[in-house]
Amino acid sequence: ERRGDIDPFADEDDENTEDLLIPDHPRYLTHNTTYDLTPLMKADCITQGKSVVVRSKLWPAGDSMDLDKSQLEAVKSALTSEIAVVQGPPGTGKTYIGLKIAEVLLLNHEVWNTSKGPILVLCYTNHALDQFLEGIMNFHDKHIVRVGSRSKNEALAKYSLTNLRSTMRKERLVPRDIHGNINDIRFQMHSIQEEILHSSVKMEAAAKHVLSERELEEILSDDVQDLLVGGFAEISQGDFMLQGKQKKPKSIMAEWLGVGSSVKVIEMMGNMEVDQNRINEEEAANDEDIDVDEDAQHEEDKRVTEADQDLMDFLKSNEKRKQAIKEEMDIAFDMNEDQHDVADGQNAGNQGNQNNHGWQVSRKEKRRRMNLARKELMKHSLMSSAERQQKESLLWYQSSSDRWRLYRTWVRDYVMLCQDSVKRMQEEYNRHSRRLAEVRDQESLHILKTAKVVGMTTTGAAKLHTMLQNLKPSIMIVEEAAEVLEAHIVAGLTALYLLSHYETLFLQTCGEDCVPCTEPCLRACPHNQCSALCSQPCTGKLCSQPCKLLLPCGHPCIGLCGEQCPTKCRFCHSEEVTQVFFGPEDEPDARFVELADCHHVVHAESMDSWVEQAGAGGQVGLAECPMCKTAVRTTGRYNNAVNHHLIAVERVKTKLRGEEGTQMREELEVETRALVTAEIQTVDENEKPLYSDKEKEKLIQLVKTLLSPEKSSQHTQDEEH
């Protein structure tokens, strides 16, 4: 933008650019600000460094300071510039200089700490961070906070954020509002955990046991419940009232399905003239008649959404609580054979193992009922809505096969209700979990604001960028600066001191194109083979055929063809493998995939949908393990999703770099030039220019360099030649 006759950005190839670009002074340094520089002085010259005007040239003589010439220049630059770079080969004392700078700043904290923002020490590795903070401890052993849990330095343990937070809680120093919010949120999360645990136990019990009509009352209409009770009363002529300790039926559902104790019902079902071949044909036909859309929706609904790791730990670790919940359920027929044997033993002493009409129930008959229930519970055939409506009106006039299919349809709806409840509760739990994280961040921020020095790794800075924005550090010291990504620095950038081995500090490695892998895709099996390259989206579909291999234990693999065999076995690790998470884990033909990124074994079909949903809606992000939230990067089965993610990331980078077109870049350049032009024309309260002509030239040249780095780089190369 031109203002009058001024165009400070006009290209002038013959312009004198030999002068170095010098950063501005920090705003907190006035022309009269004095520093105590005694940490830099030799022992016999301490008094000379007591009060030095740092922006003047009247620093103590070089021979009175415990620094050589280059070290002194580095310290001067760091203490008097908004940004300074200390560079040099390994072993030349960069860390030493950094610690000297930190010591002077901490000694004069009243100058720069007016906003109460601490010094932020940012390092690429945990080792470098521990080493730097330990150096600070030698001259300043309080008001230090070390963020992160990977420190191996015992001397820093008392300064870790985790320990400081624990101490603050023990001493009841947490602000009352934060403490109250944490307790309230935890209570609500625990209540939700209990509700989810109840639903989880119910789903597991529905898959393994026969539920009573009272347990299924939300699914059964009033007419169906009346038909069950009335029909059974008519058939049994009231003998069911003698069942149980209080002379009432344990469950009519068990009697209706033929696994109860009423001999009359069993006799009636046995006398029904039903041809077994016709039953099998009818069952097969009914399997085909199930509404495809309804069944597909059922499969979709069985995929439970992601829960936090602590929720999953709660569900897995509370076995006693799960057993107590199961005992509270109204189960018509428990498939735990040992439990039946115990019950038989107890009844033997009181009733001689006889039923209510004196008929003794043989062990063979019990075994028959157990096998019948187990066989029917493992089947998957259901009824369509129309057939269900018809059969529910004729409850006591159906074959055993139809009764079990109708029962499984009821259970399907029962499980879907439980899953809907779990989904709602998980959404609520995750909402509370996010809120708890926010409140804990407030607790951490409260601690950080009391510190003079806060140290963290670049990874920590990236994760806690929002907290850093709220912390507002006054000064940032970056160790190993050449290894640090710019985004991590910007997360907490105010005033910045960089310590680096290298001359080139801001390489745009994060923003440049990556070299795609040109190796062939490794995904292949007899049923499917990908013809694309490793870095391209796969051309083949995911194979759903079972793996034919045997595991080292001798049992069949539970994985899929062409995939890495899971290390878990359906027999050797039964409880772990069949733990219900998505829903179908305990089905006998369930197939699993082991995620190479975290080694969790997950139901394959459900995980396939989980990964697919992660990329739905144009979202840019990798799918995560539903159990531990680890990003799925290296699991071969999902290479296609990973490559789609990387392609999307590259598109975003391209857009950010302005490579999609010149319009965006031109608009940014115009806006930047307008802002800088307005800035250099600023005058003070006496109408005098705020910047000298030399300062204006340096600022203009700096902006030109930023807007045209290629031209600037070429100009530098020409000068070198």
Side-chain angles (χ1 to χ4, degrees), residues 450-548:
T450 65
K452 291 289 192 301
V453 178
V454 173
M456 64 178 65
T457 62
T458 57
T459 303
K463 291 180 179 178
L464 302 175
H465 64 280
T466 301
M467 189 185 298
L468 287 178
Q469 290 174 356
N470 293 327
L471 179 62
K472 299 178 181 178
S474 299
I475 297 171
M476 185 158 64
I477 300 177
V478 183
E479 176 81 301
E480 302 172 308
E483 306 293 336
V484 180
L485 296 177
E486 300 91 317
H488 295 175
I489 296 176
V490 172
L493 182 60
T494 46
L496 175 64
Y497 302 140
L498 301 173
L499 312 178
S500 173
H501 292 178
Y502 311 106
E503 293 186 5
T504 306
L505 292 176
F506 290 97
L507 296 175
Q508 298 289 334
T509 54
C510 180
E512 294 180 353
D513 291 325
C514 302
V515 180
C517 178
T518 57
E519 295 294 324
C521 180
L522 298 178
R523 289 197 62 250
C525 76
H527 311 97
N528 223 325
Q529 186 166 358
C530 178
S531 59
L533 299 178
C534 177
S535 57
Q536 297 174 335
C538 292
T539 58
K541 297 182 179 179
L542 296 177
C543 185
S544 59
Q545 297 298 317
C547 179
K548 304 292 186 181

Side-chain angles (χ1 to χ4, degrees), residues 600-617:
H600 276 122
V601 177
V602 189
H603 184 255
E605 183 182 357
S606 302
M607 189 64 197
D608 293 347
S609 297
W610 183 274
V611 172
E612 183 179 348
Q613 292 170 8

Side-chain angles (χ1 to χ4, degrees), residues 29-74:
L29 281 187
T30 69
H31 289 284
N32 300 320
T33 302
T34 60
Y35 268 2
D36 184 344
L37 300 181
T38 53
L40 308 178
M41 309 305 295
K42 291 181 179 179
D44 57 348
C45 301
I46 294 294
T47 56
Q48 297 182 33
K50 282 291 184 180
S51 181
V52 178
V53 180
V54 288
R55 285 187 59 176
S56 71
K57 297 182 179 180
L58 302 177
W59 277 51
D63 56 2
S64 65
M65 307 187 76
D66 200 16
L67 302 169
D68 62 27
K69 183 177 180 181
S70 62
Q71 290 174 333
L72 178 57
E73 290 300 318

Side-chain angles (χ1 to χ4, degrees), residues 659-677:
E659 296 176 3
E660 288 188 335
T662 58
Q663 182 177 357
M664 180 184 296
R665 185 177 182 85
E666 289 175 352
E667 290 175 355
L668 290 173
E669 287 185 5
V670 170
E671 183 178 353
T672 302
R673 293 183 180 190
L675 290 173
V676 175
T677 301

